[in-house]
Amino acid sequence: CLDPPLLGIAFRKPAHYLARKSVFVGPLAWLLPRVNAVPVDRGEGDMGSLKRVLELVKSGERVVLFPEGTRTRDGELQTAEAGIGFLIAKSGVPVQPLRLVGTFEAFPRHARFPRPGRVTVVVGEPIDFSDVPAGLHGRPLYDVYAARVMAAIGALRVEG
């Protein structure tokens, strides 16, 4: 819940984000598109949203994706959704891992309101997928990409 606005503050250039389609109601239906949110049906292979993300990426826009697809229940990294691997395979663009440290403590999933706390954005080096076997296609390829992204995110730490 805190992740998109915090990343928006950290970036100098605008970025696009995926947001659950069900939150595009009331005032948020007006606001979210103006802060570059792209509606997505979670849990249903929403090809329309995936195509929109690919269009944005291929036109040079920055797109921030949350590979796990939802907020963590316990503060630990979860398994990535297959869609992230699909998008990486189809876009062919570099992937730069980011990790927000402290958001779970500041606003855990069960909390109604955020708490004061320090949140740090850790930026990793772009991920190199050049060693992925050329014979992989479809779901096995997407799974390799997704696992590589989560491993890169998991390796990011706050220095100091």
Side-chain angles (χ1 to χ4, degrees), residues 3-26:
D3 297 5
L6 290 173
L7 288 173
I9 292 167
F11 291 143
R12 292 182 187 196
K13 295 181 181 178
H16 298 266
Y17 311 87
L18 295 179
R20 198 174 63 237
K21 192 178 278 188
S22 64
V23 301
F24 284 76
V25 294

Side-chain angles (χ1 to χ4, degrees), residues 23-37:
V23 301
F24 284 76
V25 294
L28 291 178
W30 178 86
L31 176 66
L32 289 174
R34 285 160 180 78
V35 294
N36 297 328

Side-chain angles (χ1 to χ4, degrees), residues 89-149:
K90 297 300 181 188
S91 71
V93 299
V95 175
Q96 186 165 30
L98 304 168
R99 186 168 189 177
L100 286 154
V101 178
T103 54
F104 179 76
E105 293 76 16
F107 199 9
R109 189 174 183 150
H110 62 277
R112 292 181 54 115
F113 300 101
R115 304 176 202 159
R118 181 182 199 102
V119 177
T120 305
V121 178
V122 183
V123 180
E125 293 297 320
I127 301 170
D128 179 14
F129 295 104
S130 64
D131 62 339
V132 173
L136 284 180
H137 299 285
R139 184 65 184 252
L141 176 64
Y142 309 155
D143 288 344
V144 167
Y145 284 152
R148 182 79 54 88
V149 166

Side-chain angles (χ1 to χ4, degrees), residues 30-68:
W30 178 86
L31 176 66
L32 289 174
R34 285 160 180 78
V35 294
N36 297 328
V38 177
V40 64
D41 266 334
R42 285 189 31 225
E44 304 180 18
D46 186 350
M47 291 307 292
S49 295
L50 294 176
K51 286 180 183 177
R52 176 70 181 128
V53 168
L54 286 172
E55 289 170 3
L56 288 166
V57 168
K58 289 183 177 185
S59 70
E61 296 291 325
R62 181 186 308 246
V63 178
V64 176
L65 300 173
F66 300 95
E68 299 156 297

